[in-house]
Amino acid sequence: MIVAGVMSGTSADGVDVAVVSIQGRGSYLSFKLLVHDYSEYPKPIRQAVLAAMNAGRISVAELSRLNFRLGEFYAYAVAKAQKKAKAKKLDLVGCHGQTIYHQGTAEPYLGKKIACTWQTGEGSIVAARLGVPVVSDFRPADMAAGGKGAPLVPLLDYAIFRSKNKGRIVQNIGGIANLTAIPADAEPGEMMAFDTGPGNMVVDRLIRVLFDRPYDRGGAIAHKGTILKPILEYLLDADYFKLKPPKTAGREEFGAAYAEAFLRRCGKVPKADVIATATALTARSMAQAVQRFVLKRGRYLDWVVSGGGTKNAALMAMLEKEAAELGLWLRHSDDFGIPSSAKEAVAFALLAYQTWNQLPGNVPSATGAKRAVVLGKISYV
């Protein structure tokens, strides 16, 4: 099957599309990335997405309109990628949608404890525009089975990075950073996966507030700053970082309110120092998670990184140092044939393929679900 995977992450900057050829199943599953393409959100769409995320108050009409508008944009992004791949036809699309709210832990609501999530972007619109069935809304099935709805990338991580002889830690750095720990010669149920904390989210927010730019290109501003160590140590003492896996995070934990509190704590210091400290928070929180929750359970050799954060040279220099201190070899997913920025889109192509074939897509040891389940909802043409 030729499957397009569509991913728009918590950074809310645009949409990654991976067109993938997939066949087989289980141990005989094989896939090949045909093309990866990126479509940046137009400024009005990005502003609408950011306004909807974790909003204290927003109209139902606005949410409904955004759902359908994003469906149109996803269809456009897939069509563009299909043309780039010179693929005559697609058999299936797997569309993650844009997360506007995620609460992985059950909390009281109207007399009952519930966990919930919301990924918007209407799959029926994508299916109608492309003439191809679409699998979307992947996370709720895992949550209905008692999981946290994330992370869902471990199935792909296992397919690509498992090794008979080496334990590997696979780290994705998007808006939120998450890892999958795969012991040597592991079965899927022996993996551990969880969100380590902020990836690019806090840095990007502070860059917008302090410099009116979308992100710290290449980590240039962080390179000029000095890390405020007392503030960094204070931030690393937060409850989330101590919480045992499985666990998930999002803008609810590390969004605008967090960044504003971060900025207040920094006080009147050079702006570059704020960015250097936020960048160090990402690097140290990832390393701290590896040391605290992963290395105690086994021996690992590789720390494989992917995601938009790999383009930040200042962050990668910090991670090189952290990896050396942990006795790990820092590598890129590109070394294994998957471009860093394409990996999550490839994952949702694979998850859609699993759903289409009525096969489970979650890994219960990663999400905390009681059982493996088929994920998503299918919109037919």
Side-chain angles (χ1 to χ4, degrees):
M1 293 183 78
I2 305 299
V3 187
V6 186
M7 180 65 193
S8 46
T10 46
S11 294
D13 46 9
V15 178
D16 286 290
V17 179
V19 180
V20 188
S21 174
I22 310 176
Q23 57 186 352
R25 59 179 62 192
S27 301
Y28 300 98
L29 182 72
S30 64
F31 56 91
K32 179 182 179 182
L33 176 62
L34 302 180
V35 77
H36 167 243
D37 192 47
Y38 175 74
S39 295
E40 185 174 343
Y41 279 144
K43 189 174 180 179
I45 292 181
R46 184 164 196 258
Q47 288 175 336
V49 168
L50 291 173
M53 286 179 167
N54 203 30
R57 179 174 294 180
I58 186 170
S59 74
V60 174
E62 184 73 12
L63 290 173
S64 181
R65 291 167 185 151
L66 181 61
N67 180 44
F68 276 68
R69 183 62 184 91
L70 285 177
E72 298 283 2
F73 189 80
Y74 294 152
Y76 155 79
V78 172
K80 184 161 74 79
Q82 181 183 4
K83 185 176 180 180
K84 185 176 177 181
K86 298 180 180 178
K88 292 183 179 179
K89 70 163 191 161
L90 293 174
D91 297 305
L92 187 67
V93 173
C95 186
H96 172 268
Q98 183 69 61
T99 298
I100 57 173
Y101 188 77
H102 184 81
Q103 178 198 312
T105 302
E107 295 179 4
Y109 178 73
L110 299 180
K112 188 172 180 64
K113 279 193 168 186
I114 63 162
C116 58
T117 191
W118 192 351
Q119 284 72 46
T120 193
E122 183 53 55
S124 295
I125 294 291
V126 182
R129 299 296 176 264
L130 298 173
V132 177
V134 174
V135 184
S136 59
D137 210 17
F138 289 89
R139 300 191 186 275
D142 177 80
M143 299 180 79
K148 295 184 178 295
L152 296 182
V153 177
L155 187 72
L156 176 70
D157 288 339
Y158 183 77
I160 299 175
F161 300 108
R162 72 182 185 273
S163 167
K164 198 161 187 66
N165 306 310
K166 287 184 178 182
R168 288 188 172 127
I169 301 161
V170 186
Q171 181 89 52
N172 185 70
I173 314 170
I176 292 294
N178 56 75
L179 67 76
T180 304
I182 311 170
D185 199 25
E187 295 295 324
E190 297 174 307
M191 293 190 296
M192 172 193 288
F194 59 95
D195 290 346
T196 57
N200 309 312
M201 184 178 290
V202 177
V203 175
D204 287 354
R205 176 68 183 180
L206 292 170
I207 285 287
R208 286 196 297 274
V209 171
L210 296 176
F211 295 92
D212 195 25
R213 300 179 190 177
Y215 56 90
D216 185 11
R217 184 181 294 274
I221 296 173
H223 267 309
K224 297 175 183 176
T226 299
I227 297 169
L228 306 169
K229 292 183 179 179
I231 291 175
L232 177 61
E233 292 305 315
Y234 171 83
L235 295 168
L236 287 168
D237 195 45
D239 289 342
Y240 182 82
F241 300 125
K242 299 173 186 176
L243 187 66
K244 292 181 180 180
K247 58 181 178 176
T248 64
R251 289 188 180 273
E252 296 73 27
E253 290 79 18
F254 298 107
Y258 182 91
E260 289 164 10
F262 186 120
L263 196 54
R264 286 195 300 271
R265 182 160 289 276
C266 288
K268 295 181 179 180
V269 300
K271 294 179 181 179
D273 291 0
V274 176
I275 303 305
T277 305
T279 305
L281 174 64
T282 293
R284 283 291 304 133
S285 62
M286 289 191 288
Q288 185 174 270
V290 168
Q291 184 175 38
R292 182 176 285 168
F293 302 118
V294 179
L295 296 185
K296 290 181 179 179
R297 295 192 175 197
R299 187 166 181 266
Y300 293 83
L301 297 178
D302 295 335
W303 195 4
V304 186
V305 293
S306 64
T310 59
K311 298 176 183 177
N312 185 320
L315 175 59
M316 294 310 296
M318 292 177 188
L319 280 180
E320 286 276 7
K321 184 178 178 181
E322 298 286 356
E325 292 178 0
L326 293 170
L328 298 169
W329 181 20
L330 193 69
R331 304 180 67 182
H332 290 253
S333 66
D334 304 61
D335 300 339
F336 298 84
I338 299 292
S340 295
S341 54
K343 198 185 93 171
E344 287 193 297
V346 173
F348 283 94
L350 177 59
L351 289 171
Y353 177 85
Q354 291 287 106
T355 300
W356 189 255
N357 288 287
Q358 299 179 41
L359 298 169
N362 65 333
V363 177
S365 63
T367 66
K370 294 180 177 68
R371 62 187 187 280
V373 292
V374 178
L375 304 175
K377 302 176 178 72
I378 301 175
S379 300
Y380 293 94
V381 180

